[in-house]
């Protein structure tokens, strides 16, 4: 990981801890856990993958919190041609600081999150030529990740969110693969 990324992670972590310590005096806190489904979209692939996962977090104040996520995908086509096919699947592990802005007199809110995530893509190449063996590759990178979205409080204890996410860029044999995606999640507060 680059020094700038390490410094940014340290600043984010210390800011969240400082804000949470100050907020603990006036706010009891709110843990939550949920599930999500969506679309995982790497650059230069034939098909986007269906993603699904779990997430949970803790709100230190009505606006500030921390969130962890695990997201995985099914197999999707990276490319097809006369020599064979290539499929990929992915896993994302993330830890984020969050900020929610409640729109006045509504149950609607905007959410932003920024943090660090590990983005891992597994690739399987299937060759149609009998003389060539099938191959598997794995690429991963850890870096800055984030997202923006909208949420709606269905009840005081249940919420739905739609998010646009940007995941860390992966170096795949010298080619940078940018990855983003959309998710729809639902979580319950305890």
């Amino acid at each position: 990981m680059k020094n700038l990324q390490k410094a940014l992670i340290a600043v984010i972590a210390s800011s969240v801890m400082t804000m949470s310590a100050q907020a603990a005096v006036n706010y009891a806190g709110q843990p939550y856990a949920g599930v999500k489904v969506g679309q995982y979209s790497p650059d230069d692939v034939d098909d986007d993958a269906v993603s699904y996962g779990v997430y949970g977090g803790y709100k230190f104040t009505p606006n500030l919190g921390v969130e962890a996520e695990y997201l995985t995908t099914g197999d999707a086509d990276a490319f097809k041609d006369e020599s064979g096919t290539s499929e990929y699947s992915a896993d994302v592990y993330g830890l984020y600081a969050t900020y929610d802005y409640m729109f006045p007199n509504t149950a609607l809110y905007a959410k932003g999150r920024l943090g660090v995530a590990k983005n891992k893509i597994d690739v399987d190449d299937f060759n149609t030529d009998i003389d060539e063996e099938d191959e598997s590759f794995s690429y991963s990178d850890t870096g800055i990740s984030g997202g923006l979205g909208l949420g709606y409080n269905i009840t005081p204890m249940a919420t739905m969110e739609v998010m646009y996410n940007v995941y860390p860029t992966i170096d795949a044999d010298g080619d940078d693969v940018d990855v983003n995606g959309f998710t729809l999640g639902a979580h319950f507060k305890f």
Side-chain angles (χ1 to χ4, degrees):
M1 200 180 324
K2 299 175 185 165
N3 289 334
L4 178 61
Q5 289 177 335
K6 290 178 184 178
L8 186 55
I9 292 167
V11 168
I12 291 170
S14 64
S15 296
V16 168
M17 287 188 281
T18 302
M19 290 183 290
S20 63
Q22 291 172 348
V25 175
N26 300 324
Y27 184 73
Q30 182 74 63
Y32 60 91
V35 295
K36 58 175 56 179
V37 63
Q39 176 180 311
Y40 181 88
S41 304
D43 285 347
D44 301 325
V45 295
D46 288 349
D47 295 327
D48 295 333
V50 173
S51 62
Y52 48 93
V54 295
Y55 67 108
Y58 189 83
K59 292 180 77 169
F60 299 109
T61 72
N63 301 101
L64 299 172
V66 65
E67 185 172 281
E69 140 185 275
Y70 169 68
L71 192 71
T72 190
T73 71
D75 290 337
D77 288 335
F79 73 87
K80 286 184 182 182
D81 62 17
E82 62 279 347
S83 65
T85 63
S86 181
E87 294 181 344
Y88 72 94
S89 62
D91 293 299
V92 177
Y93 307 87
L95 181 62
Y96 308 95
T98 64
Y99 180 80
D100 294 355
Y101 171 78
M102 289 295 301
F103 293 105
N105 304 319
T106 69
L108 188 66
Y109 65 92
K111 180 177 184 176
R113 65 183 196 170
L114 181 65
V116 63
K118 178 179 181 180
N119 190 9
K120 178 183 174 198
I121 296 178
D122 295 317
V123 179
D124 294 317
D125 287 334
F126 303 103
N127 295 304
T128 55
D129 188 355
I130 296 172
D131 295 337
E132 292 187 34
E133 287 188 32
D134 295 341
E135 297 179 305
S136 295
F137 306 96
S138 184
Y139 306 101
S140 69
D141 209 344
T142 302
I144 303 301
S145 182
L148 293 172
L150 289 173
Y152 184 78
N153 292 311
I154 302 166
T155 70
M157 301 307 283
T159 301
M160 292 187 71
E161 294 180 343
V162 62
M163 297 274 304
Y164 171 74
N165 304 289
V166 177
Y167 302 113
T169 299
I170 294 177
D171 179 9
D173 295 330
D175 292 329
D176 285 343
V177 178
D178 295 325
V179 183
N180 58 46
F182 287 95
T183 56
L184 174 63
H187 66 259
F188 296 95
K189 304 168 189 171
F190 351 5

